[in-house]
Amino acid sequence: MADNIMSKAATMEIPINSNGDTGSLPEDDSLEQDLQQVMVSGPNLNETSIVSGGYGGPAGGIIPTSTIKDIRMKSRGVSLSQSHSSASRLAHHSVQHQGSLNHNNGSTEEVSRGVAVEKLDSVKKWGINTYKCTKQMFSEKFGRGSRTVDLELEAQIDVLRDTKSKYENILRLATALITHFQNMVQTQQALGDTFTDLSQKSPELQDEFGYNAETQKLLCKNGESLLGAINFFVSSVNTLVNKTMEDTLMTIKQYENARLEFDAYRSDLEELSLGPRDAAAMVRIEMAQHEYHLHREKYERLRSDVSIKMKFLEENKVKVMHKQLLLFHNAISAYFAGNQQQLEQTLIQFNVKLKPPGSDKPSWLEEQ
């Protein structure tokens, strides 16, 4: 039995490559069982050899089993060492890449955090300011809070608002006059054309239709001149009301808001000054004084701006309205007096340029 097993084990071939090195041994379960039986009943494996050829072949092909084990262990050691080295380099590169990503993410997070903190501070300041101003406004309405008043400036502001309201009424009426008068001129134009047509088709009434047609055409021409003068008047007054006055009123609105803020922080400082004087209270009082001075400077600056703008507005209003009212009067008087020469002279005097007939109508290209 032992001889058969030894014969079977000795005849197993170990593949040899071209350099004489052994290849990897196949893991055969039957071979492993046979070797276990040899270890039990056969000779010591430490003293045996595995032959690469047939049993009893030349000694040059004999490889000790201990050498085979050493080769396999070394091969596995080199493979493990290379795998460990590659894994180490990959891990090192991954750590460096992750560190770079973490650094970039950290910078982005710091910038985002700074923007968020800035926005939060802005919202906080806005909320505190809104609360103080709302509190001051209700205190003034219910008569519990004091209010800073410049009597002379407040009177001028009231006059300006009343003047603007009246000038807006002038604009509405003058615009309505243009609409109605333009309809009348168009009616006169159509009536004159009808008279001209009838004068050619009615020989017995040719003269009568003829001079009525000429009269209507003359009235239509003078009406267009008057419309040009009124349009110029409306345009100038509209610029005065909706640009110059509106700009001044916007500055007045900013001034009134600054006045409310100033009184709110003034009242806050007065309340803190009446309270306790411990360390925390003194810090709050110092901050309140700082805010009070800032808003007082803003209030005084805007009050000065309002005074200057209202002064220039008054001068500009007088200059513009003096010219426009004179134009309106002369044009209306000349038209209804039938003085065509005076009407034309008025337009030249005030540099009023009439639009050519049909300029308001779209061109044939625009109608396509």
Side-chain angles (χ1 to χ4, degrees), residues 72 116 300 345 355:
R72 294 182 65 182
E300 291 177 351
Q345 187 63 33
K355 295 181 180 180

Side-chain angles (χ1 to χ4, degrees), residues 48-295:
T48 60
S49 300
I50 298 176
V51 184
S52 62
Y55 179 76
I62 299 174
I63 302 174
T65 55
S66 60
T67 304
I68 296 174
K69 293 180 180 179
D70 292 341
I71 291 173
R72 294 182 65 182
M73 292 301 293
K74 289 180 180 179
S75 176
R76 292 181 180 177
V78 170
S79 178
L80 290 174
S81 176
Q82 291 177 352
S83 300
H84 179 70
S85 176
S86 299
S88 298
R89 288 196 298 270
L90 181 60
H92 180 67
H93 177 71
S94 177
V95 168
Q96 288 181 342
H97 181 65
Q98 186 66 28
S100 177
L101 291 177
N102 290 336
H103 177 72
N104 294 333
N105 291 336
S107 300
T108 305
E109 289 177 358
E110 288 179 0
V111 173
S112 301
R113 189 180 297 110
V115 173
V117 170
E118 184 178 355
K119 289 184 177 180
L120 184 60
D121 290 340
S122 178
V123 172
K124 182 179 178 181
K125 290 180 180 179
W126 174 83
I128 294 173
N129 186 74
T130 303
Y131 167 74
K132 291 181 182 295
C133 292
T134 304
K135 180 181 177 182
Q136 176 66 24
M137 182 176 60
F138 278 104
S139 297
E140 292 176 4
K141 285 186 176 181
F142 290 104
R144 293 195 299 265
S146 59
R147 177 177 184 270
T148 302
V149 179
D150 187 331
L151 295 177
E152 182 179 358
L153 188 60
E154 293 290 336
Q156 294 175 0
I157 292 173
D158 291 340
V159 170
L160 173 60
R161 286 188 171 128
D162 183 64
T163 301
K164 183 175 183 292
S165 176
K166 292 178 179 179
Y167 276 42
E168 287 173 344
N169 190 36
I170 289 175
L171 278 175
R172 285 193 294 270
L173 294 174
T175 302
L177 177 62
I178 289 175
T179 301
H180 297 318
F181 199 76
Q182 191 169 15
N183 291 333
M184 187 184 73
V185 170
Q186 291 174 353
T187 303
Q188 289 174 337
Q189 178 69 42
L191 188 59
D193 293 339
T194 303
F195 284 157
T196 300
D197 182 63
L198 288 173
S199 67
Q200 297 174 357
K201 296 180 180 179
S202 304
E204 66 280 5
L205 296 173
Q206 181 176 5
D207 294 337
E208 289 80 358
F209 279 127
Y211 60 71
N212 275 281
E214 292 297 328
T215 301
Q216 293 300 320
K217 289 181 179 180
L218 179 61
L219 291 174
C220 182
K221 180 181 178 181
N222 293 340
E224 290 177 352
S225 299
L226 180 60
L227 281 173
I230 299 176
N231 276 317
F232 187 78
F233 171 83
V234 169
S235 176
S236 299
V237 176
N238 181 68
T239 301
L240 175 65
V241 173
N242 293 319
K243 290 187 178 180
T244 310
M245 289 185 179
E246 188 63 29
D247 178 70
T248 304
L249 288 173
M250 287 294 296
T251 307
I252 290 173
K253 186 176 181 179
Q254 294 175 2
Y255 156 75
E256 291 175 342
N257 290 335
R259 196 277 312 162
L260 182 63
E261 290 178 353
F262 166 67
D263 283 337
Y265 283 92
R266 177 183 54 80
S267 300
D268 186 51
L269 178 60
E270 291 175 354
E271 290 179 3
L272 290 174
S273 299
L274 297 176
R277 293 284 179 165
D278 55 359
M282 292 303 298
V283 172
R284 290 195 297 270
I285 290 174
E286 184 177 356
M287 293 176 60
Q289 286 177 343
H290 176 70
E291 294 290 336
Y292 166 78
H293 289 299
L294 288 178
H295 286 86

